[in-house]
Amino acid sequence: MEGFVIAVDRGRYTCVLDDTEVEAVTVTAMRARELGRKSVVVGDRVALVGDTSGAPGALARIVRIAERSSVLRRTADDDETTAEGRLERVVVANADQLVIVSALADPPPRTGFIDRCLVAAYDADIEPLLCLTKADLAGPEAVLDYYAELELPYVLIRPDSELDALRALLAGRISVLVGHSGVAKSTLVNRLVPEAA
């Protein structure tokens, strides 16, 4: 069975099967030994064998990872074995949009963080989208002026905003939301997909 990895937690991978008729079937899987050291990350398209029923307690095995169309990487400072002391880890595969969520106030926008996200997006050939939250507390002019030369697509979000503009920008895309704590990522997800809790 073919599937799409939606979560990774302590060696267990949650996958949604591709060819289900009406309702998405979620399967828990583990990596097969034959994959070797190749990592499985959120966004990977995988081949599953074993119990793919999705029943409680069922466990499938991931036996193949499809070629990735994009990889979003993060540098970690925790590898003392390399000469530079840094290790790059793939965080997400096959995304085509990086949604950089930044509050306009409380916490204030951090252009250095946004810059790093933009570099990562451009490096991975993933389109960036700037999502500016808490637009009821401050105006977007300073942030938008800072990035004016990039012609960066953006959306403004207020607590009472309809999310139609954001939904339109997310529709039909595999998007990754990234941002500091307190910028309203969870609030956005809960408003977009209430059943996600």
Side-chain angles (χ1 to χ4, degrees):
M1 301 286 288
E2 300 296 319
F4 181 74
V5 179
I6 60 168
V8 177
D9 183 26
R10 295 172 284 188
R12 294 290 186 257
Y13 303 89
T14 305
C15 306
V16 175
L17 297 183
D18 285 350
D19 63 353
T20 52
E21 299 295 319
V22 181
E23 197 171 318
V25 174
T26 302
V27 173
T28 301
M30 56 184 272
R31 287 177 58 239
R33 217 173 276 167
E34 56 263 32
L35 286 178
R37 297 180 58 92
K38 189 167 185 181
S39 65
V40 179
V41 299
V42 170
D44 272 329
R45 298 218 172 261
V46 296
L48 300 156
V49 298
D51 190 342
T52 58
S53 66
L59 189 62
R61 285 184 308 128
I62 296 172
V63 294
R64 189 174 61 250
I65 303 168
E67 186 175 343
R68 295 168 174 162
S69 61
S70 68
V71 290
L72 186 62
R73 301 176 193 276
R74 178 179 179 151
T75 302
D77 296 317
D78 59 358
D79 186 18
E80 299 301 324
T81 63
T82 62
E84 55 280 290
R86 298 173 83 80
L87 177 69
E88 278 193 340
R89 292 191 180 140
V90 175
V91 181
V92 176
N94 301 315
D96 46 30
Q97 183 167 244
L98 181 64
V99 182
I100 306 163
V101 184
S102 177
L104 290 168
D106 192 29
R110 299 177 182 167
T111 54
F113 174 77
I114 297 170
D115 292 348
R116 289 191 301 278
C117 290
L118 289 170
V119 169
Y122 294 139
D123 180 59
D125 200 23
I126 299 172
E127 292 180 32
L129 169 64
L130 189 56
C131 180
L132 299 172
T133 62
K134 304 184 183 181
D136 57 319
L137 301 179
E141 296 76 20
V143 174
L144 295 178
D145 288 349
Y146 187 82
Y147 294 105
E149 290 183 31
L150 296 179
E151 297 180 10
L152 190 60
Y154 71 92
V155 61
L156 294 176
I157 306 290
R158 293 174 177 78
D160 58 347
S161 297
E162 292 296 322
L163 297 181
D164 296 343
L166 180 57
R167 282 182 206 282
L169 293 165
L170 297 175
R173 322 252 346 240
I174 297 174
S175 299
V176 179
L177 274 70
V178 62
H180 283 291
S181 179
V183 297
K185 296 182 306 294
S186 296
T187 301
L188 280 174
V189 171
N190 284 327
R191 288 185 63 199
L192 290 165
V193 190
E195 64 274 16

